[in-house]
Short mmCIF file of all heavy atoms in Angstrom, two decimals:
data_model
loop_
_atom_site.label_atom_id
_atom_site.label_comp_id
_atom_site.label_asym_id
_atom_site.label_seq_id
_atom_site.Cartn_x
_atom_site.Cartn_y
_atom_site.Cartn_z
N MET A 24 46.81 33.43 21.05
CA MET A 24 45.57 32.69 21.27
C MET A 24 44.83 33.36 22.44
O MET A 24 45.45 33.70 23.44
CB MET A 24 45.92 31.23 21.61
CG MET A 24 44.76 30.31 21.45
SD MET A 24 45.09 28.53 21.72
CE MET A 24 46.73 28.25 21.19
N ASN A 25 43.53 33.52 22.30
CA ASN A 25 42.79 34.17 23.38
C ASN A 25 42.51 33.19 24.52
O ASN A 25 42.71 31.99 24.40
CB ASN A 25 41.50 34.83 22.86
CG ASN A 25 40.45 33.82 22.41
OD1 ASN A 25 40.30 32.77 23.00
ND2 ASN A 25 39.73 34.16 21.37
N SER A 26 42.04 33.73 25.62
CA SER A 26 41.86 32.89 26.81
C SER A 26 40.82 31.79 26.61
O SER A 26 40.95 30.70 27.17
CB SER A 26 41.49 33.76 28.01
OG SER A 26 40.27 34.45 27.76
N LEU A 27 39.77 32.06 25.82
CA LEU A 27 38.78 31.02 25.56
C LEU A 27 39.41 29.86 24.79
O LEU A 27 39.21 28.69 25.14
CB LEU A 27 37.58 31.58 24.79
CG LEU A 27 36.52 30.57 24.39
CD1 LEU A 27 35.92 29.88 25.61
CD2 LEU A 27 35.42 31.24 23.57
N GLN A 28 40.17 30.18 23.76
CA GLN A 28 40.83 29.12 23.00
C GLN A 28 41.81 28.35 23.86
O GLN A 28 41.90 27.12 23.77
CB GLN A 28 41.55 29.73 21.79
CG GLN A 28 40.61 30.23 20.71
CD GLN A 28 41.36 30.95 19.61
OE1 GLN A 28 42.36 31.60 19.84
NE2 GLN A 28 40.84 30.84 18.39
N GLU A 29 42.54 29.06 24.71
CA GLU A 29 43.48 28.39 25.61
C GLU A 29 42.75 27.45 26.56
O GLU A 29 43.19 26.32 26.78
CB GLU A 29 44.28 29.42 26.40
CG GLU A 29 45.27 30.18 25.54
CD GLU A 29 45.90 31.37 26.27
OE1 GLU A 29 45.55 31.62 27.44
OE2 GLU A 29 46.73 32.04 25.65
N LYS A 30 41.63 27.90 27.09
CA LYS A 30 40.84 27.07 28.01
C LYS A 30 40.33 25.82 27.30
O LYS A 30 40.39 24.71 27.83
CB LYS A 30 39.68 27.90 28.57
CG LYS A 30 38.78 27.17 29.52
CD LYS A 30 39.46 26.89 30.83
CE LYS A 30 38.45 26.29 31.80
NZ LYS A 30 39.08 25.65 32.92
N ILE A 31 39.84 25.99 26.08
CA ILE A 31 39.36 24.85 25.29
C ILE A 31 40.49 23.85 25.07
O ILE A 31 40.33 22.64 25.27
CB ILE A 31 38.74 25.32 23.96
CG1 ILE A 31 37.45 26.08 24.22
CG2 ILE A 31 38.49 24.13 23.02
CD1 ILE A 31 36.89 26.80 23.00
N HIS A 32 41.65 24.35 24.66
CA HIS A 32 42.80 23.46 24.44
C HIS A 32 43.21 22.74 25.72
O HIS A 32 43.49 21.54 25.68
CB HIS A 32 44.00 24.25 23.88
CG HIS A 32 43.87 24.59 22.43
ND1 HIS A 32 44.13 23.68 21.44
CD2 HIS A 32 43.49 25.73 21.81
CE1 HIS A 32 43.92 24.24 20.26
NE2 HIS A 32 43.52 25.49 20.46
N GLN A 33 43.22 23.46 26.83
CA GLN A 33 43.58 22.83 28.10
C GLN A 33 42.61 21.71 28.45
O GLN A 33 43.03 20.63 28.89
CB GLN A 33 43.60 23.88 29.22
CG GLN A 33 44.74 24.87 29.12
CD GLN A 33 44.58 26.03 30.10
OE1 GLN A 33 43.60 26.13 30.82
NE2 GLN A 33 45.56 26.92 30.09
N GLU A 34 41.34 21.98 28.28
CA GLU A 34 40.33 20.96 28.62
C GLU A 34 40.43 19.76 27.69
O GLU A 34 40.35 18.61 28.14
CB GLU A 34 38.92 21.56 28.56
CG GLU A 34 38.64 22.59 29.63
CD GLU A 34 38.69 22.01 31.03
OE1 GLU A 34 38.34 20.84 31.24
OE2 GLU A 34 39.10 22.75 31.95
N ILE A 35 40.61 20.01 26.42
CA ILE A 35 40.72 18.90 25.47
C ILE A 35 41.95 18.06 25.74
O ILE A 35 41.91 16.83 25.66
CB ILE A 35 40.70 19.43 24.02
CG1 ILE A 35 39.32 20.00 23.70
CG2 ILE A 35 41.07 18.33 23.02
CD1 ILE A 35 39.23 20.71 22.37
N ASP A 36 43.05 18.72 26.10
CA ASP A 36 44.29 18.00 26.38
C ASP A 36 44.17 17.03 27.55
O ASP A 36 44.93 16.06 27.64
CB ASP A 36 45.43 18.98 26.65
CG ASP A 36 45.92 19.66 25.38
OD1 ASP A 36 45.63 19.16 24.27
OD2 ASP A 36 46.59 20.70 25.50
N THR A 37 43.21 17.26 28.44
CA THR A 37 43.05 16.37 29.59
C THR A 37 42.23 15.13 29.25
O THR A 37 42.17 14.20 30.05
CB THR A 37 42.36 17.11 30.76
OG1 THR A 37 41.04 17.48 30.40
CG2 THR A 37 43.15 18.35 31.16
N LEU A 38 41.60 15.13 28.10
CA LEU A 38 40.74 14.00 27.71
C LEU A 38 41.55 12.85 27.13
O LEU A 38 42.61 13.07 26.53
CB LEU A 38 39.72 14.46 26.66
CG LEU A 38 38.70 15.50 27.08
CD1 LEU A 38 37.91 15.97 25.86
CD2 LEU A 38 37.78 14.96 28.14
N PRO A 39 41.03 11.64 27.25
CA PRO A 39 41.67 10.51 26.55
C PRO A 39 41.58 10.71 25.04
O PRO A 39 40.71 11.44 24.54
CB PRO A 39 40.83 9.30 26.97
CG PRO A 39 39.89 9.75 28.03
CD PRO A 39 39.86 11.23 28.01
N LEU A 40 42.47 10.08 24.32
CA LEU A 40 42.56 10.26 22.88
C LEU A 40 41.23 9.97 22.17
O LEU A 40 40.83 10.70 21.26
CB LEU A 40 43.67 9.38 22.30
CG LEU A 40 43.97 9.58 20.82
CD1 LEU A 40 44.35 11.02 20.52
CD2 LEU A 40 45.08 8.63 20.39
N THR A 41 40.53 8.93 22.59
CA THR A 41 39.25 8.60 21.95
C THR A 41 38.24 9.73 22.14
O THR A 41 37.48 10.05 21.22
CB THR A 41 38.65 7.28 22.50
OG1 THR A 41 38.54 7.38 23.92
CG2 THR A 41 39.52 6.10 22.11
N SER A 42 38.25 10.35 23.30
CA SER A 42 37.34 11.48 23.54
C SER A 42 37.77 12.71 22.73
O SER A 42 36.93 13.47 22.26
CB SER A 42 37.30 11.83 25.03
OG SER A 42 36.77 10.76 25.77
N GLN A 43 39.07 12.89 22.57
CA GLN A 43 39.56 14.00 21.75
C GLN A 43 39.08 13.84 20.31
O GLN A 43 38.72 14.82 19.65
CB GLN A 43 41.08 14.08 21.81
CG GLN A 43 41.61 14.55 23.14
CD GLN A 43 43.12 14.66 23.16
OE1 GLN A 43 43.77 14.81 22.12
NE2 GLN A 43 43.70 14.60 24.35
N LYS A 44 39.06 12.60 19.83
CA LYS A 44 38.57 12.35 18.48
C LYS A 44 37.08 12.68 18.37
O LYS A 44 36.63 13.21 17.35
CB LYS A 44 38.83 10.89 18.07
CG LYS A 44 40.29 10.60 17.84
CD LYS A 44 40.52 9.13 17.49
CE LYS A 44 41.98 8.84 17.29
NZ LYS A 44 42.24 7.43 17.01
N GLU A 45 36.33 12.39 19.43
CA GLU A 45 34.90 12.73 19.43
C GLU A 45 34.71 14.25 19.41
O GLU A 45 33.82 14.76 18.74
CB GLU A 45 34.21 12.11 20.64
CG GLU A 45 34.05 10.61 20.54
CD GLU A 45 33.29 10.03 21.71
OE1 GLU A 45 32.35 10.69 22.19
OE2 GLU A 45 33.62 8.92 22.13
N VAL A 46 35.55 14.96 20.15
CA VAL A 46 35.48 16.42 20.14
C VAL A 46 35.75 16.94 18.73
O VAL A 46 35.05 17.83 18.23
CB VAL A 46 36.46 17.03 21.16
CG1 VAL A 46 36.55 18.54 20.99
CG2 VAL A 46 36.06 16.66 22.58
N LEU A 47 36.76 16.39 18.09
CA LEU A 47 37.08 16.80 16.72
C LEU A 47 35.91 16.52 15.78
O LEU A 47 35.54 17.38 14.98
CB LEU A 47 38.33 16.08 16.22
CG LEU A 47 38.71 16.36 14.76
CD1 LEU A 47 38.96 17.84 14.53
CD2 LEU A 47 39.91 15.53 14.37
N ASP A 48 35.30 15.36 15.89
CA ASP A 48 34.13 15.04 15.06
C ASP A 48 33.01 16.06 15.29
O ASP A 48 32.36 16.50 14.35
CB ASP A 48 33.61 13.63 15.37
CG ASP A 48 34.50 12.54 14.82
OD1 ASP A 48 35.34 12.84 13.94
OD2 ASP A 48 34.35 11.39 15.27
N PHE A 49 32.80 16.42 16.55
CA PHE A 49 31.75 17.39 16.87
C PHE A 49 32.07 18.76 16.28
O PHE A 49 31.20 19.42 15.70
CB PHE A 49 31.56 17.48 18.38
CG PHE A 49 30.48 18.45 18.78
CD1 PHE A 49 29.15 18.19 18.48
CD2 PHE A 49 30.79 19.62 19.44
CE1 PHE A 49 28.15 19.07 18.84
CE2 PHE A 49 29.80 20.51 19.81
CZ PHE A 49 28.47 20.24 19.51
N VAL A 50 33.32 19.19 16.38
CA VAL A 50 33.73 20.48 15.81
C VAL A 50 33.52 20.48 14.30
O VAL A 50 33.00 21.44 13.73
CB VAL A 50 35.19 20.80 16.18
CG1 VAL A 50 35.71 21.99 15.39
CG2 VAL A 50 35.33 21.04 17.67
N LEU A 51 33.90 19.40 13.65
CA LEU A 51 33.71 19.31 12.20
C LEU A 51 32.23 19.31 11.83
O LEU A 51 31.83 19.92 10.84
CB LEU A 51 34.41 18.06 11.65
CG LEU A 51 35.94 18.07 11.77
CD1 LEU A 51 36.51 16.72 11.35
CD2 LEU A 51 36.54 19.20 10.98
N PHE A 52 31.41 18.64 12.64
CA PHE A 52 29.97 18.65 12.44
C PHE A 52 29.43 20.08 12.53
O PHE A 52 28.64 20.53 11.70
CB PHE A 52 29.28 17.75 13.46
CG PHE A 52 27.80 17.95 13.55
CD1 PHE A 52 26.95 17.42 12.59
CD2 PHE A 52 27.25 18.68 14.60
CE1 PHE A 52 25.58 17.62 12.66
CE2 PHE A 52 25.89 18.88 14.69
CZ PHE A 52 25.05 18.36 13.72
N LEU A 53 29.85 20.81 13.57
CA LEU A 53 29.40 22.19 13.74
C LEU A 53 29.81 23.06 12.57
O LEU A 53 29.01 23.87 12.06
CB LEU A 53 29.96 22.78 15.04
CG LEU A 53 29.34 22.29 16.33
CD1 LEU A 53 30.07 22.91 17.52
CD2 LEU A 53 27.86 22.61 16.39
N LYS A 54 31.05 22.92 12.11
CA LYS A 54 31.51 23.72 10.98
C LYS A 54 30.69 23.42 9.73
O LYS A 54 30.31 24.32 9.00
CB LYS A 54 32.99 23.44 10.71
CG LYS A 54 33.92 24.11 11.70
CD LYS A 54 35.37 23.76 11.42
CE LYS A 54 35.84 24.35 10.12
NZ LYS A 54 37.27 24.16 9.88
N ASN A 55 30.39 22.16 9.51
CA ASN A 55 29.59 21.77 8.35
C ASN A 55 28.18 22.32 8.46
O ASN A 55 27.61 22.79 7.47
CB ASN A 55 29.56 20.24 8.21
CG ASN A 55 28.86 19.80 6.96
OD1 ASN A 55 29.07 20.36 5.90
ND2 ASN A 55 28.02 18.79 7.07
N THR A 56 27.61 22.29 9.65
CA THR A 56 26.26 22.80 9.88
C THR A 56 26.20 24.30 9.64
O THR A 56 25.26 24.81 9.03
CB THR A 56 25.79 22.48 11.31
OG1 THR A 56 25.84 21.07 11.50
CG2 THR A 56 24.39 22.96 11.56
N LEU A 57 27.21 25.02 10.08
CA LEU A 57 27.23 26.46 9.93
C LEU A 57 27.45 26.88 8.48
O LEU A 57 27.03 27.96 8.08
CB LEU A 57 28.33 27.07 10.81
CG LEU A 57 28.12 26.93 12.31
CD1 LEU A 57 29.35 27.44 13.06
CD2 LEU A 57 26.89 27.68 12.76
N ASN A 58 28.09 26.04 7.70
CA ASN A 58 28.37 26.37 6.31
C ASN A 58 27.23 25.98 5.37
O ASN A 58 27.31 26.23 4.18
CB ASN A 58 29.67 25.70 5.84
CG ASN A 58 30.88 26.30 6.51
OD1 ASN A 58 30.89 27.47 6.86
ND2 ASN A 58 31.91 25.50 6.69
N THR A 59 26.20 25.37 5.90
CA THR A 59 25.08 24.94 5.09
C THR A 59 23.99 26.00 5.17
O THR A 59 23.53 26.35 6.24
CB THR A 59 24.52 23.60 5.61
OG1 THR A 59 25.57 22.65 5.63
CG2 THR A 59 23.40 23.09 4.73
N GLU A 60 23.62 26.54 4.01
CA GLU A 60 22.58 27.56 4.03
C GLU A 60 21.20 26.92 4.11
O GLU A 60 20.98 25.82 3.62
CB GLU A 60 22.69 28.48 2.84
CG GLU A 60 22.41 27.86 1.50
CD GLU A 60 22.62 28.82 0.35
OE1 GLU A 60 22.72 30.03 0.58
OE2 GLU A 60 22.67 28.36 -0.78
N SER A 61 20.29 27.61 4.73
CA SER A 61 18.94 27.10 4.88
C SER A 61 18.18 27.21 3.56
O SER A 61 18.60 27.93 2.63
CB SER A 61 18.19 27.90 5.95
OG SER A 61 17.95 29.21 5.49
N ASP A 62 17.07 26.52 3.47
CA ASP A 62 16.22 26.62 2.28
C ASP A 62 15.77 28.05 2.07
O ASP A 62 15.72 28.54 0.94
CB ASP A 62 15.00 25.70 2.41
CG ASP A 62 15.37 24.23 2.38
OD1 ASP A 62 16.48 23.90 1.92
OD2 ASP A 62 14.54 23.41 2.82
N SER A 63 15.43 28.73 3.15
CA SER A 63 14.99 30.12 3.05
C SER A 63 16.08 31.02 2.49
O SER A 63 15.82 31.88 1.66
CB SER A 63 14.56 30.65 4.43
OG SER A 63 13.48 29.91 4.91
N ASP A 64 17.31 30.80 2.97
CA ASP A 64 18.44 31.60 2.46
C ASP A 64 18.63 31.34 0.96
O ASP A 64 18.85 32.27 0.19
CB ASP A 64 19.73 31.26 3.20
CG ASP A 64 19.72 31.72 4.64
OD1 ASP A 64 18.95 32.66 4.96
OD2 ASP A 64 20.47 31.16 5.45
N TYR A 65 18.57 30.08 0.58
CA TYR A 65 18.74 29.73 -0.83
C TYR A 65 17.66 30.37 -1.70
O TYR A 65 17.95 30.98 -2.73
CB TYR A 65 18.73 28.20 -0.99
CG TYR A 65 18.77 27.74 -2.41
CD1 TYR A 65 19.97 27.76 -3.12
CD2 TYR A 65 17.62 27.31 -3.07
CE1 TYR A 65 20.03 27.34 -4.44
CE2 TYR A 65 17.67 26.89 -4.39
CZ TYR A 65 18.87 26.90 -5.08
OH TYR A 65 18.91 26.50 -6.38
N LEU A 66 16.40 30.24 -1.27
CA LEU A 66 15.31 30.78 -2.06
C LEU A 66 15.32 32.30 -2.12
O LEU A 66 14.96 32.89 -3.13
CB LEU A 66 13.96 30.29 -1.51
CG LEU A 66 13.70 28.80 -1.66
CD1 LEU A 66 12.43 28.41 -0.92
CD2 LEU A 66 13.59 28.41 -3.13
N SER A 67 15.74 32.93 -1.04
CA SER A 67 15.71 34.39 -1.01
C SER A 67 16.78 35.03 -1.89
O SER A 67 16.75 36.23 -2.13
CB SER A 67 15.83 34.90 0.42
OG SER A 67 17.11 34.63 0.93
N LYS A 68 17.71 34.25 -2.41
CA LYS A 68 18.73 34.78 -3.32
C LYS A 68 18.15 35.09 -4.69
O LYS A 68 18.70 35.91 -5.42
CB LYS A 68 19.89 33.79 -3.46
CG LYS A 68 20.76 33.73 -2.23
CD LYS A 68 21.91 32.78 -2.44
CE LYS A 68 22.77 32.72 -1.20
NZ LYS A 68 23.87 31.76 -1.36
N ASP A 69 17.07 34.44 -5.06
CA ASP A 69 16.42 34.69 -6.35
C ASP A 69 15.39 35.80 -6.13
O ASP A 69 14.42 35.61 -5.40
CB ASP A 69 15.74 33.42 -6.84
CG ASP A 69 15.11 33.57 -8.21
OD1 ASP A 69 14.52 34.64 -8.49
OD2 ASP A 69 15.20 32.62 -9.00
N PRO A 70 15.59 36.96 -6.78
CA PRO A 70 14.69 38.10 -6.54
C PRO A 70 13.22 37.79 -6.84
O PRO A 70 12.33 38.26 -6.13
CB PRO A 70 15.21 39.19 -7.47
CG PRO A 70 16.59 38.78 -7.85
CD PRO A 70 16.66 37.29 -7.71
N LYS A 71 12.96 36.99 -7.87
CA LYS A 71 11.56 36.67 -8.21
C LYS A 71 10.92 35.80 -7.14
O LYS A 71 9.77 36.01 -6.75
CB LYS A 71 11.49 35.98 -9.57
CG LYS A 71 11.81 36.88 -10.74
CD LYS A 71 11.73 36.14 -12.06
CE LYS A 71 12.10 37.05 -13.20
NZ LYS A 71 12.07 36.35 -14.48
N ILE A 72 11.66 34.80 -6.68
CA ILE A 72 11.14 33.93 -5.64
C ILE A 72 10.98 34.70 -4.33
O ILE A 72 9.97 34.57 -3.63
CB ILE A 72 12.04 32.70 -5.43
CG1 ILE A 72 12.01 31.81 -6.68
CG2 ILE A 72 11.64 31.91 -4.20
CD1 ILE A 72 12.96 30.63 -6.64
N LYS A 73 11.96 35.55 -4.04
CA LYS A 73 11.89 36.36 -2.83
C LYS A 73 10.64 37.23 -2.84
O LYS A 73 9.90 37.30 -1.84
CB LYS A 73 13.15 37.22 -2.71
CG LYS A 73 13.19 38.05 -1.45
CD LYS A 73 14.51 38.82 -1.37
CE LYS A 73 14.59 39.62 -0.10
NZ LYS A 73 15.87 40.31 0.03
N GLN A 74 10.35 37.87 -3.96
CA GLN A 74 9.17 38.73 -4.06
C GLN A 74 7.89 37.91 -3.96
O GLN A 74 6.92 38.33 -3.33
CB GLN A 74 9.18 39.55 -5.35
CG GLN A 74 8.10 40.61 -5.41
CD GLN A 74 8.20 41.59 -4.25
OE1 GLN A 74 9.24 42.15 -3.99
NE2 GLN A 74 7.08 41.81 -3.55
N ALA A 75 7.88 36.72 -4.55
CA ALA A 75 6.70 35.85 -4.46
C ALA A 75 6.44 35.44 -3.02
O ALA A 75 5.27 35.39 -2.58
CB ALA A 75 6.89 34.62 -5.34
N ILE A 76 7.50 35.18 -2.27
CA ILE A 76 7.33 34.82 -0.86
C ILE A 76 6.78 36.00 -0.08
O ILE A 76 5.84 35.86 0.72
CB ILE A 76 8.68 34.35 -0.26
CG1 ILE A 76 9.10 33.01 -0.88
CG2 ILE A 76 8.60 34.24 1.26
CD1 ILE A 76 10.51 32.58 -0.55
N ILE A 77 7.33 37.18 -0.32
CA ILE A 77 6.85 38.40 0.35
C ILE A 77 5.38 38.65 0.01
O ILE A 77 4.56 38.93 0.89
CB ILE A 77 7.73 39.61 -0.02
CG1 ILE A 77 9.12 39.44 0.58
CG2 ILE A 77 7.09 40.92 0.45
CD1 ILE A 77 10.14 40.44 0.08
N ASP A 78 5.04 38.53 -1.28
CA ASP A 78 3.65 38.73 -1.70
C ASP A 78 2.73 37.73 -1.02
O ASP A 78 1.63 38.08 -0.57
CB ASP A 78 3.52 38.61 -3.22
CG ASP A 78 4.21 39.74 -3.97
OD1 ASP A 78 4.54 40.77 -3.33
OD2 ASP A 78 4.42 39.59 -5.18
N GLY A 79 3.18 36.48 -0.94
CA GLY A 79 2.37 35.45 -0.29
C GLY A 79 2.16 35.73 1.18
O GLY A 79 1.06 35.55 1.71
N LEU A 80 3.21 36.19 1.84
CA LEU A 80 3.09 36.50 3.27
C LEU A 80 2.18 37.70 3.52
O LEU A 80 1.54 37.80 4.56
CB LEU A 80 4.48 36.77 3.86
CG LEU A 80 5.39 35.55 3.98
CD1 LEU A 80 6.80 35.98 4.38
CD2 LEU A 80 4.84 34.57 5.00
N ASN A 81 2.12 38.60 2.55
CA ASN A 81 1.28 39.79 2.70
C ASN A 81 -0.15 39.60 2.22
O ASN A 81 -0.97 40.51 2.32
CB ASN A 81 1.92 40.97 1.96
CG ASN A 81 3.17 41.46 2.64
OD1 ASN A 81 3.28 41.42 3.85
ND2 ASN A 81 4.13 41.93 1.85
N THR A 82 -0.47 38.42 1.68
CA THR A 82 -1.82 38.15 1.20
C THR A 82 -2.74 37.82 2.38
O THR A 82 -2.44 36.92 3.16
CB THR A 82 -1.81 36.95 0.21
OG1 THR A 82 -0.92 37.25 -0.86
CG2 THR A 82 -3.19 36.66 -0.32
N PRO A 83 -3.84 38.54 2.51
CA PRO A 83 -4.79 38.23 3.60
C PRO A 83 -5.33 36.80 3.45
O PRO A 83 -5.51 36.31 2.33
CB PRO A 83 -5.90 39.26 3.42
CG PRO A 83 -5.30 40.34 2.58
CD PRO A 83 -4.26 39.69 1.72
N LEU A 84 -5.61 36.16 4.57
CA LEU A 84 -6.08 34.78 4.54
C LEU A 84 -7.38 34.61 3.76
O LEU A 84 -7.57 33.59 3.10
CB LEU A 84 -6.26 34.24 5.96
CG LEU A 84 -4.98 33.92 6.71
CD1 LEU A 84 -5.29 33.46 8.13
CD2 LEU A 84 -4.18 32.85 5.98
N ASP A 85 -8.26 35.61 3.82
CA ASP A 85 -9.53 35.47 3.11
C ASP A 85 -9.36 35.53 1.59
O ASP A 85 -10.27 35.19 0.84
CB ASP A 85 -10.55 36.52 3.58
CG ASP A 85 -10.09 37.96 3.36
OD1 ASP A 85 -8.89 38.17 3.07
OD2 ASP A 85 -10.94 38.86 3.47
N GLU A 86 -8.17 35.93 1.12
CA GLU A 86 -7.89 35.92 -0.32
C GLU A 86 -7.14 34.66 -0.75
O GLU A 86 -6.87 34.47 -1.93
CB GLU A 86 -7.06 37.15 -0.69
CG GLU A 86 -7.81 38.46 -0.55
CD GLU A 86 -6.94 39.65 -0.93
OE1 GLU A 86 -5.93 39.46 -1.65
OE2 GLU A 86 -7.28 40.77 -0.49
N CYS A 87 -6.81 33.81 0.19
CA CYS A 87 -6.07 32.58 -0.11
C CYS A 87 -7.04 31.45 -0.45
O CYS A 87 -8.13 31.36 0.11
CB CYS A 87 -5.21 32.17 1.08
SG CYS A 87 -3.90 33.33 1.47
N SER A 88 -6.60 30.59 -1.34
CA SER A 88 -7.41 29.44 -1.72
C SER A 88 -7.21 28.31 -0.69
O SER A 88 -6.14 28.18 -0.11
CB SER A 88 -7.00 28.94 -3.10
OG SER A 88 -7.66 27.75 -3.42
N ASP A 89 -8.23 27.51 -0.51
CA ASP A 89 -8.08 26.35 0.37
C ASP A 89 -7.91 25.06 -0.45
O ASP A 89 -7.97 23.97 0.07
CB ASP A 89 -9.26 26.23 1.33
CG ASP A 89 -10.59 26.08 0.62
OD1 ASP A 89 -10.63 26.18 -0.62
OD2 ASP A 89 -11.62 25.88 1.31
N ARG A 90 -7.70 25.24 -1.77
CA ARG A 90 -7.48 24.09 -2.66
C ARG A 90 -6.23 24.31 -3.48
O ARG A 90 -5.90 25.43 -3.85
CB ARG A 90 -8.66 23.92 -3.61
CG ARG A 90 -9.93 23.59 -2.88
CD ARG A 90 -11.07 23.48 -3.85
NE ARG A 90 -12.30 23.37 -3.08
CZ ARG A 90 -13.37 22.80 -3.52
NH1 ARG A 90 -13.40 22.30 -4.74
NH2 ARG A 90 -14.44 22.73 -2.77
N LEU A 91 -5.59 23.20 -3.80
CA LEU A 91 -4.39 23.26 -4.64
C LEU A 91 -4.81 23.10 -6.10
O LEU A 91 -5.71 22.34 -6.42
CB LEU A 91 -3.41 22.17 -4.25
CG LEU A 91 -2.85 22.26 -2.83
CD1 LEU A 91 -1.97 21.03 -2.54
CD2 LEU A 91 -2.01 23.53 -2.68
N ASP A 92 -4.13 23.79 -7.00
CA ASP A 92 -4.43 23.71 -8.43
C ASP A 92 -3.72 22.55 -9.12
O ASP A 92 -3.90 22.33 -10.30
CB ASP A 92 -4.06 25.02 -9.13
CG ASP A 92 -4.91 26.18 -8.68
OD1 ASP A 92 -6.06 25.96 -8.27
OD2 ASP A 92 -4.42 27.32 -8.74
N TRP A 93 -2.96 21.79 -8.39
CA TRP A 93 -2.23 20.69 -9.01
C TRP A 93 -2.64 19.43 -8.46
O TRP A 93 -2.98 18.61 -8.17
CB TRP A 93 -0.71 20.87 -8.88
CG TRP A 93 -0.24 21.26 -7.53
CD1 TRP A 93 -0.19 22.51 -7.02
CD2 TRP A 93 0.26 20.41 -6.49
NE1 TRP A 93 0.32 22.50 -5.75
CE2 TRP A 93 0.60 21.23 -5.40
CE3 TRP A 93 0.44 19.04 -6.38
CZ2 TRP A 93 1.11 20.71 -4.23
CZ3 TRP A 93 0.96 18.54 -5.22
CH2 TRP A 93 1.30 19.37 -4.13
#
């Protein structure tokens, strides 16, 4: 175990059990957050959508419509 992990374990061991449970909840929350891909990541996996986003970003503002077609 590296020194950072050892330090974390030492600090957690000094906490009351209820606080240790809160630390565990927080760690699980962080893991879940890190494993969730963003909307941008999801959309960029589809080559057609990715290219449409790139094309849209490269479109000059004076060529953009100020009205929605739907």
Side-chain angles (χ1 to χ4, degrees):
M24 198 176 328
N25 69 36
S26 61
L27 177 60
Q28 289 174 327
E29 290 170 359
K30 179 70 174 164
I31 292 170
H32 283 281
Q33 290 170 357
E34 292 297 327
I35 292 172
D36 286 343
T37 65
L38 296 172
L40 186 58
T41 55
S42 296
Q43 289 182 23
K44 289 178 181 178
E45 288 183 36
V46 171
L47 176 60
D48 287 343
F49 181 67
V50 169
L51 294 174
F52 166 77
L53 287 176
K54 284 178 67 174
N55 185 44
T56 302
L57 294 174
N58 291 331
T59 304
E60 67 183 346
S61 69
D62 292 342
S63 298
D64 291 337
Y65 175 77
L66 292 173
S67 68
K68 287 182 181 178
D69 184 320
K71 290 180 182 178
I72 293 175
K73 183 177 181 176
Q74 189 58 51
I76 292 170
I77 292 169
D78 292 345
L80 290 171
N81 290 327
T82 303
L84 286 178
D85 60 346
E86 292 180 21
C87 295
S88 174
D89 60 354
R90 296 178 189 206
L91 297 175
D92 294 333
W93 45 277

